[in-house]
Amino acid sequence: MRRLFVSVHKSFYLIVVAVLLLSISSDLSAQSNIRIKGSVTADDDGSPVRNATIRIDGTAFETTTSGDGHFSISDIPEGVYQLMVTAPGFDPYPSVEVEVVADISRTVHIRLRRKIYPLEGIRIRGHRQPVTREMTVIDRRQIERTQAAELSEVLEAVPGVEIHRTGPGGQAAISIRGSTPDQVLVLIDGRRLNSASGGAADLNSIPIDVVERIELYKSGASAKFGPNAMAGAVNIVTRAASITSPRSIETGFSRGTWKTYRSNFSFESNIPGTGISHSINYERKSTAGDFSYTYHVSPGDAVYEGTRINNAFESQALFGRGYLSKGSFKADLSVQYYDAANGLPGKVSQQNEDASREDKRIQGNSGIEYRFAEYLTARLSAACSENIQYFSDRSGPVLNQYETRYTERGVDIKGELVTNLLPNHQITLGGQYQKNKLNHEDLMREVYATGVTRRTMTSLFATAQHLFDISRSKLIDVVTLNASLRYDNSITEPEKKLIRFPRPERRRNVRTESVSPLIGLTVTKGERIRLTGRASWGKSLRLPSINALFWQSDARSAGNPDLKPERSEQYEVGLEADCRLAWGTIAAGTIFYHKDISDMVVWIQSSPDGLFKPQNIGAAEVSGHEDYVRFNSFDDLLQFSYINSVTHARNRQTGYNYDKVITYTPAYVTTFRIGLNYRSLRVAYDIRRVGRRYALPGNEKWYDSYSLHDLAVSGQFTLNGNWHFELNGRIDNLTSEEYVLIGQHPMPGRSYNLGISIKYELKGNKK
Amino acid sequence: MKLTTTKYSSLLTCCLILLLGNAFAAEPTAWVINANGETLSRINLNSSTVDNDLVTLGSDVLSYPNQIIVHDTLAYVVCSGTDEIQVIDLNSLTTTGFISTGAASNPYWMAFLDGSTAYVTSFVNNSLIKLNMATGSIVGETLVGTSPEGVLIRDFKAYIAVTSFDPGTYIYGQGKVAVYDTDTDQKLYDINVGVNPQYLAVDPAGRIHVVCTGDYWSSFGMIYVIDPTVDLVVDSFSIGGSPGQIAIDPDGIGFLAAGGWDVDGYVYTYNSLTGELLHGPSNPLVVGFGCWMAVPYLDSSVFVGGMSNVVTPIDSAGNAGQQFSLGNGPVHLDFNYQPGDLTGDFVVDIADLVFMADWYFTGGSEPAYPKWRANLNGDFFYDISDLVYLVDFMFTGGSRPLVGPAWVD
């Protein structure tokens, strides 16, 4: 391990030097016959615009910008030309006149204005989406800026979000504002990713390269997505090749500490004139994972150290997506395959080298959209999926042994109509039908298998939004009111086995009906210096898990079919200000939130039998605030952000640790980030300070606060206009800080990762 | 001869009283472990004050402490989750060390043979682990039966409650008490008892009472009585419910911690000598909810408590004393009984010498529960050497009396 460390350490610095040299000299690689070159950036924040199309009017010359927003067109005869620039998400640029003279290259820098998507007949002032709105969007550009290797690392930078990991190669589950991971609904292209067994979703099962944007709901989102989004939702939208993008092949490889390897391959293409584009992405990851650790639990002076074993991880993911856009009609088809195998190291006091887990997911999504008229659009989508999870440990004492498998198959059909019949008004009406079949097999103790459980859910939903332009009042420019309402009816049908405890009876079906509302108000004022205020209120719920309802009773525990859904009521109030200056943008904001959670399912012993059974007795109160300050220079040279989230998550279960802080919820998380983009060199330095985490419900033991320093460096350069190279390196946990996320699961110290990515655009220039 | 001895002892007593030798006093204290909070608490029984969160239990979180044994100024805590025995200095309130019972061994209950040797059951390994407490090492391990829990040592034999819980099927098999010879460190034989035997206690007649909790479904609480002189079941009677920890007071009243997990907690009582059920499932003593602890104190009461975070002393008539608010989930406690304190006032002084002389030479009453306080030199017998030890401590600067085998009576 030591030898590897030295080797990687040296290699890292060599790569950094190489990146610097290549980045600074990348312009030297420009060809002598280039006539027009330049860059395309966003008007509001100066960020580079990827895939912008630059066309010379009246000719066949055309190209697109690379990832850093640069372009070049060569072999152009002398003359005066009109340059036309378009890009998805931006208003078309008015033509610009360029004169090409012999042996002189012309450089053009173009700023595009970000396209505003107003409701019918309404012009929305301003240029940025307020972060205080109910949904936070992280787009591809922001994802790339983080230089993250995993999707979970991107989300970790969002205020109020915590990622729960058990090691360097294992699963990564999301917690929002003190929630448990199973209270957060994770969707991929609108389809549920949460596991059938534990309820949590593994974010690392989605390659970061396939993510186009992340839509994050930090408050309860049952009004949008139905049950199971009680603490929020994450919708991960995968990338679809643009019909204007060049055909390209990209491959990458990286290696890091603990023999971590990652390789990926992607292909994007389109069929000119047909409106069809498609993409394929394949990723393979593996790690040996074992690492040395040191940590301590407070109060106490004892320091625990050793080596974590059985952290090996191996996965592969294949994502394919096709897209058709023809006039008013759009169609989308995607297929996802993922499988992974990893060790389960166990607690440090009971490390286990034999326990393992396997995951396999196959999912197909399809959707069509047709715009009947300016005021009416219809969408219909369907998906089917199969998730298999297998857990095994057949070594050691029999009591510790298990072998179990969950197989879940599901169908999901959703239709919606979007109308703009009235001015300034938009209404969405829809319905959804979901049917899931979960088969739990206990391969070691067959009699304790839950068997096949079917859950059918039928939903109706409506969303209305209205804009009031009251700029004449000089006090407020725009007021936006939105309201969502969703009705869900579910029936859960267990296999009709005999329950032995607490009294012999046949299992019965469980029906649940729920209505989830959400109301929001947004007020904006100003354009150059814009103030945005926001408030929202809503109710959400989470259905009891199938395990909690129908756990096959044994000598110590039993399920409880009388369970009600867990419920939450939340509100939030936020204020944001952003200002465009000559040299950049500054934005700052704060949001206060509060939620009450009731009927939480807690497994306790109960009378008269003393069996452990789930009961709706838990309650919690979570409040806090999230603050940020961001600066970004227009040329994207310098970025700075400060994010602070403070959480007060208290137990409100009467008689049991009342008012104690909920375990593993840090009191605060503060993130400080500096980013530097110089030519093709990109540097990011993050400091993340996490407050104390209590490890026991009574708060008697805790893990101390810690600070993590992460450094990422990357450089891109282009050869011949078609070949794009990127070298990147990361050092995570630079100071080798000791920390623990989950009890008895210490995290590793300093780690390195070095990578290279090569992209070849098959059609750089069209003539 | 007897007359001569009586005169001699009376003369000696008078002389010693006049001399007023060295003495030792301690506050009567209950040391409580809290299972949920994984902390140590202290109840001062003189002032009725409680101190919580004194020491963190376990070397890490999720230590699941099961049992505490106090030996003078040291406490030994069985941490089943972190597979260790934690040794705590009660004077400085610091952990002096952890004795590992082996990875994933899940130690359940412990009993001392003498001052330096202890046996602990391993629920997962189906074994009895022998520990040298002086060196902090495992010196032996013997298979005793499937999923053993409680252990009790008496007359150089360890009695182990073997639940026969089959971890492969989660079904309880034939409950047994395994008998183990501490001289040869071998299992001798099994004694069949009821379903799911968990805890053991000794009644005033010297018989061993085995609490068979039942399978929580089709079979319920039973008491099996074993005569250790012949190692046979000599009695059994039904209790009902699903009782756990047992305490038998010097009057022979057995107290059973019987759960109660919703609003109230319950304690059942019975006459251990006759088998008469005094308070059963139909008329339980009501205490704080989630009662899982029952520990006898001197000859006066039994301390019960559990999930309600309250410990309550109750007497044999069911009268509750002052409640103590403890840490998070008190699961077991032990008292700082002082070796040499025969009078039960937590002071080792001339009165104890008088008590001992009276007991030895004039036919006076035996020391009250627990009797082992009269075994001052830490061996396995009550004899004149204990008296000599006490005299040596009080008048010639000898060392303090030692903690001997708790099972000697």
Side-chain angles (χ1 to χ4, degrees), chain A residues 295 297-300 302 304 347-351 397-401 442 444-448 500-504 551 554-556 604-611 615 655-657 664 695-703 743-745, chain B residues 36-39 53 56-64 80-83 98 103-106 123-125 149 165-172 196 198 215-218 241-242 259-264 266 289 292 307-309 327-328:
Chain A
Y295 73 99
V297 185
S298 293
Y304 309 103
K347 300 188 299 181
V348 292
S349 63
Q350 295 182 355
Q351 295 203 97
V398 177
L399 185 64
N400 294 344
Q401 293 185 23
D442 192 321
M444 180 174 170
R445 305 171 181 91
E446 293 180 9
V447 69
Y448 293 108
R500 290 198 303 150
F501 301 106
R503 58 190 179 280
W551 182 256
D554 54 41
R556 295 293 174 100
I604 60 161
Q605 284 184 298
S606 57
S607 291
D609 39 61
L611 291 174
Q615 308 277 356
Y656 181 70
N657 296 315
Y664 299 114
L696 293 178
N699 297 170
E700 296 89 349
K701 291 183 182 179
W702 63 88
Y703 294 107
Q744 295 217 20
H745 283 83
Chain B
N36 296 334
E38 300 177 5
T39 56
D53 302 334
T56 301
L57 300 182
S59 61
D60 204 338
V61 296
L62 311 176
S63 60
Y64 300 115
S80 62
T82 43
D83 306 314
F98 294 97
S105 56
N106 193 0
F123 186 83
V124 170
N125 291 346
E149 294 193 356
F165 172 73
D166 183 349
T169 60
Y170 292 160
I171 292 173
Y172 290 98
N196 190 15
Q198 293 200 97
D215 66 1
Y216 306 93
W217 174 50
S218 60
S242 303
W261 304 101
D262 291 340
V263 179
D264 294 322
Y266 305 120
F289 82 96
W292 56 18
M307 287 290 286
S308 61
N309 302 341
N328 201 342

Side-chain angles (χ1 to χ4, degrees), chain A residues 470-754:
Chain A
I470 53 174
S471 53
R472 283 176 298 178
S473 71
K474 299 192 183 301
L475 188 64
I476 295 171
D477 288 344
V478 175
V479 174
T480 307
L481 279 172
N482 58 70
S484 300
L485 194 66
R486 182 174 170 122
Y487 165 79
D488 296 286
N489 184 327
S490 77
I491 177 168
T492 309
E493 304 167 82
E495 191 170 306
K496 297 297 185 291
K497 296 172 74 174
L498 184 71
I499 306 173
R500 290 198 303 150
F501 301 106
R503 58 190 179 280
E505 63 175 330
R506 289 280 166 190
R507 286 168 164 171
R508 56 186 169 79
N509 296 349
V510 176
R511 289 177 183 275
T512 308
E513 282 187 310
S514 61
V515 176
S516 306
L518 178 65
I519 299 171
L521 168 72
T522 307
V523 178
T524 59
K525 171 64 180 171
E527 190 164 357
R528 187 170 183 81
I529 300 175
R530 189 174 65 157
L531 293 173
T532 303
R534 172 172 172 75
S536 71
W537 168 89
K539 288 184 172 182
S540 289
L541 76 157
R542 173 174 174 261
L543 292 180
S545 70
I546 287 169
N547 273 350
L549 288 171
F550 305 119
W551 182 256
Q552 182 61 34
S553 52
D554 54 41
R556 295 293 174 100
S557 56
N560 180 5
D562 295 327
L563 285 177
K564 298 176 290 185
E566 297 180 336
R567 297 186 183 277
S568 76
E569 180 175 359
Q570 74 279 338
Y571 65 83
E572 61 183 48
V573 179
L575 181 64
E576 182 190 55
D578 62 287
C579 176
R580 282 193 293 171
L581 304 171
W583 32 268
T585 58
I586 295 179
T590 187
I591 183 168
F592 292 86
Y593 64 88
H594 179 98
K595 59 181 174 183
D596 292 304
I597 306 168
S598 58
D599 292 333
M600 286 173 68
V601 174
V602 179
W603 287 73
I604 60 161
Q605 284 184 298
S606 57
S607 291
D609 39 61
L611 291 174
F612 276 93
K613 285 190 291 191
Q615 308 277 356
N616 287 108
I617 60 168
E621 181 181 323
V622 184
S623 59
H625 58 92
E626 293 157 0
D627 324 300
Y628 73 92
V629 178
R630 290 196 184 99
F631 165 75
N632 190 15
S633 65
F634 271 138
D635 55 6
D636 221 18
L637 177 68
L638 186 67
Q639 302 131 32
F640 160 85
S641 69
Y642 163 82
I643 297 171
N644 184 46
S645 56
V646 175
T647 307
H648 306 285
R650 299 275 175 180
N651 178 39
R652 288 288 182 260
Q653 180 181 331
T654 305
Y656 181 70
N657 296 315
Y658 185 82
D659 206 36
K660 297 293 185 183
V661 177
I662 292 173
T663 53
Y664 299 114
T665 305
Y668 66 88
V669 178
T670 304
T671 305
F672 183 84
R673 178 187 177 88
I674 294 178
L676 177 70
N677 288 342
Y678 179 67
R679 295 194 175 182
S680 300
L681 176 69
R682 208 180 268 183
V683 181
Y685 191 83
D686 292 310
I687 303 172
R688 183 176 168 86
R689 177 81 181 164
V690 181
R692 171 188 293 187
R693 292 160 182 265
Y694 288 103
L696 293 178
N699 297 170
E700 296 89 349
K701 291 183 182 179
W702 63 88
Y703 294 107
D704 290 326
S705 55
Y706 61 88
S707 298
L708 298 180
H709 296 245
D710 299 333
L711 172 66
V713 180
S714 70
Q716 299 103 18
F717 59 97
T718 303
L719 287 176
N720 296 327
N722 294 92
W723 289 93
H724 305 279
F725 296 87
E726 179 179 312
L727 294 171
N728 56 68
R730 291 180 61 88
I731 306 178
D732 290 330
N733 197 357
L734 198 62
T735 57
S736 214
E737 178 91 334
E738 64 177 48
Y739 70 110
V740 175
L741 290 179
I742 304 294
Q744 295 217 20
H745 283 83
M747 297 301 291
R750 185 186 300 112
S751 64
Y752 304 85
N753 194 75
L754 306 169

Side-chain angles (χ1 to χ4, degrees), chain A residues 400-425:
Chain A
N400 294 344
Q401 293 185 23
Y402 55 85
E403 186 175 2
T404 186
R405 179 166 52 216
Y406 291 86
T407 305
E408 184 181 30
R409 295 190 176 97
V411 175
D412 186 347
I413 301 169
K414 184 178 179 182
E416 58 186 353
L417 283 173
V418 183
T419 67
N420 305 106
L421 281 170
L422 299 173
N424 312 337
H425 201 80

Side-chain angles (χ1 to χ4, degrees), chain B residues 52-83:
Chain B
N52 288 320
D53 302 334
L54 297 173
V55 177
T56 301
L57 300 182
S59 61
D60 204 338
V61 296
L62 311 176
S63 60
Y64 300 115
N66 271 357
Q67 183 197 17
I68 180 172
I69 295 176
V70 174
H71 276 185
D72 197 11
T73 59
L74 290 178
Y76 302 89
V77 179
V78 180
C79 297
S80 62
T82 43
D83 306 314

Side-chain angles (χ1 to χ4, degrees), chain B residues 283-367:
Chain B
N283 62 337
L285 299 177
V286 176
V287 294
F289 82 96
C291 179
W292 56 18
M293 175 177 76
V295 181
Y297 174 57
L298 290 175
D299 57 352
S300 56
S301 56
V302 169
F303 280 57
V304 298
M307 287 290 286
S308 61
N309 302 341
V310 168
V311 166
T312 309
I314 53 177
D315 63 21
S316 55
N319 300 313
Q322 179 188 353
Q323 286 191 343
F324 301 100
S325 294
L326 268 295
N328 201 342
V331 66
H332 195 237
L333 60 80
D334 199 5
F335 301 93
N336 63 329
Y337 296 123
Q338 296 301 307
D341 169 30
L342 282 77
T343 58
D345 60 358
F346 287 83
V347 178
V348 182
D349 58 9
I350 198 71
D352 296 301
L353 192 57
V354 172
F355 193 103
M356 181 174 271
D358 187 39
W359 176 37
Y360 277 7
F361 304 117
T362 66
S365 59
E366 288 190 348

